[in-house]
Amino acid sequence: MFARIWGTRGSYPVARADVLRYGGNTTCVEVRAENRCIILDAGTGMRMLGEALMREPGAPRQLDLLITHTHWDHIIGFPFFAPIYAAGWRLNIYGLSRTQASLRATIASALGDPLFPVGLEDLRAEVHVHEIHVGSAFELGPVRVRTAQANHPYRALAYRLESDAETLVFVPDTGPFHTLLFGDERIEWTGAPGAGNGAETRALAEMRARVIELAQGADWLLYDAQFTDEEYARFPHWGHGTASQAREIAEAAGARELLLFHHDPRRSDAELDAIVAAQRAAARPGLAVSAAAEGRLLSKGGPQ
Amino acid sequence: MKAQFWGVRGYVPTPGAAFLRYGGNTCCVSLHGAGGELVVLDSGTGFCELGATLMAGDFRDGRGELTMLITHTYWDHFLGLPFPGIVHVPGNHLRIYGPDSARGSLEMIYDNMLAPVYSPVFGLAHIAATHSFHPVPTEPFQVGQLTVRGMPLSRRAHSPIWAYRVEEAGRALVYITDARYTDDAIWREAVRFARDAEVLIHSAPYLRGEAVRDDGHSRVEDAIELALEAKVRRLYLYHHAPTRTDDDLDALVARCRGELAAGGQRLDLDAAREGEAVKV
């Protein structure tokens, strides 16, 4: 199993000169194992992945798209993914089941008028939508998939993808486990983290433990690090975390490499370099720290 | 009146080194009037960059006001709206004009775009700045000393599209995007609407000969013909295709200028470039 990063940015895509190294496209990661191609999130990075797949001789024609949640930055690449307009491709979409609306309806309303001119029924690829749950576990060819819940408004999934030799864990959007963010009601930002009642404290501790368990021994842990600690104290965080919180989770999980992910759209490459340097200095021995960069290949050196 | 481009790309933002000179952000143009008026045309991701620069002045202190003219609510014209810090500062006021859809009013469309399933904002009620939404008046209206006219380009019930003409002291900028001239009547209306403008900003993602999957946009040649027929002084090709690199756009401009010169036409033509300011 190996992976390639196609989009690292959070919130919205950016196209400035100061983000060229880490990239301006929103979240998308491709995972390959044998003849499977598994795509994590459908941010704008998915457009470039689609072009690459169309060019690749013998590319897998069956694709699996695992969606963490349907916030805009995680789905806006979908209608620009060329294989969906080509015959002979089959795409299985997996995402969180909700009582309020089906995943298919959520995707269809995002893509259709008056927000965009694409109807799911217009696609030439065969598209199937599968609703999954917190704690779902299933196999996609040689890859074992498991999910846990991230602490993100209106709930989001985190994914673990594991082959016999490698493990990648994807937690692109999560706040720290100070305040519950997963309710159907909006939780106002209070300016300082603080646990609520006892039930909330227990739920947060449980969620944190499950995320750490999900990330256990990961070769690559891609984890929300949108903010600096200083920003986190000053601004509404919208359900995102900081680099030091990401490092704490990586250390608790015994991950091999932490890739800071979901970069703030205003963050420059130089600022990310400094954040990485600070986390490297603080990291326990054995934990590698980097910031996810668009185009990077994650591989233990096996055949590709 | 000063116009400035903040996003010139159509469809989807294009980060990357090959797109830096013309820019990769989606549609957004600001207009600054001599009297301090601020009018913003469309709110693609270019609005996020405009918003970042506005955060230094009145908008930082909750005293900012702007008028936004939305052509239509597709992502590349609308999805940047909730992101800049200025919309989260109480006291700021955004007066937003744009078409209602058969699926709901402009305000409802925006509220749905911010629904919990799509956005951590959890709905328009949680945006701190004041937003007022207005259907585009059929008669000209004033924003300070600027006179604004709207024209419906497409009356498709689910996603109508409008064009705008903004004038100051008799000098006009016309903004037409996602036009599709399906019949003579809409063409004649567009010519009348753009008549004698100093500046015409017109979507022009593809040439007529290009085989692309897109029936929603007129071509580069249409934009040029419209500018010529309406006797526009300067045409900016806009809403560039995401596949057009900087070099491609240089070549496109050179080709268009060459053809204009060969035909003895005096139209001033360029491709819109992010960051460029234009005196109208």
Side-chain angles (χ1 to χ4, degrees):
Chain A
M1 184 173 95
F2 65 96
R4 191 180 291 279
I5 298 171
W6 292 95
T8 62
R9 198 62 53 174
S11 302
Y12 57 87
V14 286
R16 298 189 308 267
D18 65 355
V19 299
L20 288 181
R21 281 189 292 118
Y22 292 105
N25 281 299
T26 62
T27 72
C28 183
V29 175
E30 169 196 15
V31 175
R32 290 287 189 97
E34 294 175 12
N35 198 33
R36 300 294 286 225
C37 175
I38 302 168
I39 304 160
L40 292 159
D41 277 341
T44 59
M46 196 184 191
R47 183 167 69 92
M48 270 52 76
L49 167 59
E51 287 172 7
L53 286 170
M54 296 298 279
R55 281 194 306 266
E56 179 184 326
R61 292 302 187 98
Q62 171 158 334
L63 311 169
D64 300 289
L65 170 61
L66 306 180
I67 296 179
T68 58
H69 63 308
T70 53
H71 283 171
W72 288 112
D73 48 333
H74 296 257
I75 59 172
I76 45 173
F78 185 80
F80 303 101
F81 184 62
I84 62 177
Y85 301 102
W89 294 78
R90 183 187 163 102
L91 178 68
N92 285 296
I93 305 176
Y94 299 82
L96 192 56
S97 175
R98 298 177 189 279
T99 51
Q100 292 85 351
S102 72
L103 180 60
R104 172 176 279 276
T106 298
I107 295 170
S109 333
L111 299 182
D113 282 322
L115 291 174
F116 220 65
V118 174
L120 281 181
E121 67 284 357
D122 303 333
L123 307 182
R124 293 190 67 199
E126 196 184 318
V127 176
H128 300 274
V129 180
H130 308 271
E131 298 193 353
I132 58 173
H133 303 271
V134 170
S136 284
F138 49 97
E139 291 182 3
L140 298 173
V143 178
R144 298 180 290 280
V145 179
R146 272 205 290 138
T147 70
Q149 182 174 323
N151 191 21
H152 197 61
Y154 214 58
R155 294 184 286 269
L157 290 176
Y159 288 97
R160 178 185 180 95
L161 274 63
E162 190 172 357
S163 70
D164 288 339
E166 299 96 350
T167 301
L168 180 145
V169 176
F170 189 59
V171 194
D173 292 51
T174 187
F177 302 93
H178 294 136
T179 314
L180 273 183
L181 292 169
F182 67 85
D184 292 342
E185 297 297 319
R186 184 175 193 268
I187 293 174
E188 289 300 325
W189 180 72
T190 57
N197 58 38
E200 190 174 314
T201 307
R202 281 191 299 279
L204 285 162
E206 171 75 11
M207 203 188 305
R208 183 176 191 273
R210 292 266 176 260
V211 167
I212 291 169
E213 185 188 21
L214 191 82
Q216 203 64 44
D219 294 300
W220 306 289
L221 171 60
L222 284 66
Y223 200 97
D224 187 337
Q226 177 148 355
F227 297 117
T228 64
D229 292 326
E230 186 259 347
E231 287 165 343
Y232 186 80
R234 275 172 43 215
F235 302 121
H237 54 69
W238 308 112
H240 297 291
T242 72
S244 57
Q245 290 157 358
R247 177 178 48 76
E248 284 165 23
I249 297 291
E251 289 173 347
R256 196 172 62 84
E257 180 177 356
L258 167 66
L259 293 96
L260 306 175
F261 201 72
H262 204 278
H263 308 314
D264 188 273
R266 311 313 307 168
R267 190 86 61 216
S268 70
D269 287 341
E271 288 167 339
L272 269 173
D273 286 341
I275 290 168
V276 168
Q279 295 307 322
R280 278 183 185 158
R284 65 141 171 75
L287 174 66
V289 179
S290 63
E294 202 172 304
R296 183 174 159 199
L297 184 69
L298 306 176
S299 164
K300 281 178 149 178
Q304 282 138 32
Chain B
M1 183 164 58
K2 184 190 85 172
Q4 189 161 8
F5 293 106
W6 298 94
V8 298
R9 197 64 56 171
Y11 311 90
V12 61
T14 55
F19 307 95
L20 286 179
R21 280 192 291 115
Y22 287 95
N25 281 301
T26 52
C27 297
C28 183
V29 176
S30 66
L31 303 176
H32 295 266
E37 302 92 339
L38 173 57
V39 172
V40 180
L41 294 154
D42 279 339
S43 64
T45 60
F47 184 58
C48 303
E49 300 302 321
L50 168 60
T53 66
L54 290 175
M55 203 57 178
D58 283 352
F59 284 92
R60 183 194 55 207
D61 306 325
R63 292 183 288 109
E65 270 192 45
L66 64 81
T67 298
M68 182 160 275
L69 307 176
I70 298 289
T71 58
H72 62 304
T73 53
Y74 282 179
W75 298 350
D76 48 338
H77 300 262
F78 198 49
L79 196 52
L81 189 52
F83 291 107
I86 59 166
V87 309
H88 300 288
V89 177
N92 288 336
H93 185 206
L94 285 80
R95 198 175 300 101
I96 303 173
Y97 291 87
D100 295 337
S101 152
R103 298 253 162 92
S105 67
L106 181 63
E107 182 168 3
M108 285 168 64
I109 295 166
Y110 189 43
D111 190 43
N112 180 54
M113 200 171 98
L114 299 177
V117 75
Y118 299 127
S119 163
V121 174
F122 266 57
L124 180 56
H126 299 287
I127 294 249
T130 308
H131 290 53
S132 59
F133 293 85
H134 311 271
V136 189
T138 49
E139 296 299 310
F141 61 101
Q142 293 297 126
V143 177
Q145 295 304 305
L146 308 183
T147 305
V148 180
R149 285 178 175 78
M151 181 190 85
L153 269 177
S154 157
R155 294 186 185 275
R156 286 198 309 139
H158 293 310
S159 49
I161 303 170
W162 284 65
Y164 294 98
R165 178 183 178 108
V166 183
E167 284 181 36
E168 184 183 54
R171 298 166 78 87
L173 176 143
V174 173
Y175 182 81
I176 299 180
T177 179
D178 293 52
R180 187 163 169 247
Y181 302 111
T182 46
D183 58 49
D184 287 349
I186 188 67
W187 175 260
R188 282 195 303 272
E189 270 189 67
V191 169
R192 194 173 337 117
F193 194 68
R195 176 73 64 198
D196 295 326
E198 290 295 316
V199 172
L200 170 63
I201 298 170
H202 198 294
S203 59
Y206 298 107
L207 290 156
R208 277 180 194 153
E210 288 179 282
V212 287
R213 186 184 54 242
D214 179 341
D215 59 2
H217 295 84
S218 54
R219 303 303 194 217
V220 173
E221 294 88 340
D222 296 302
I224 294 172
E225 285 168 19
L226 180 69
L228 292 173
E229 201 169 326
K231 300 195 181 335
V232 164
R233 186 179 305 270
R234 174 182 281 200
L235 169 66
Y236 282 96
L237 305 177
Y238 186 64
H239 196 287
H240 307 313
T243 46
R244 290 258 199 269
T245 62
D246 290 336
D247 292 345
D248 292 338
L249 285 168
D250 286 344
L252 177 68
V253 168
R255 170 186 165 157
C256 293
R257 285 179 179 164
E259 286 172 7
L260 285 168
Q265 304 286 359
R266 289 172 40 130
L267 174 66
D268 183 359
L269 176 145
D270 209 341
R273 195 180 285 111
E274 194 174 313
E276 184 180 355
V278 182
K279 192 168 173 299
V280 180

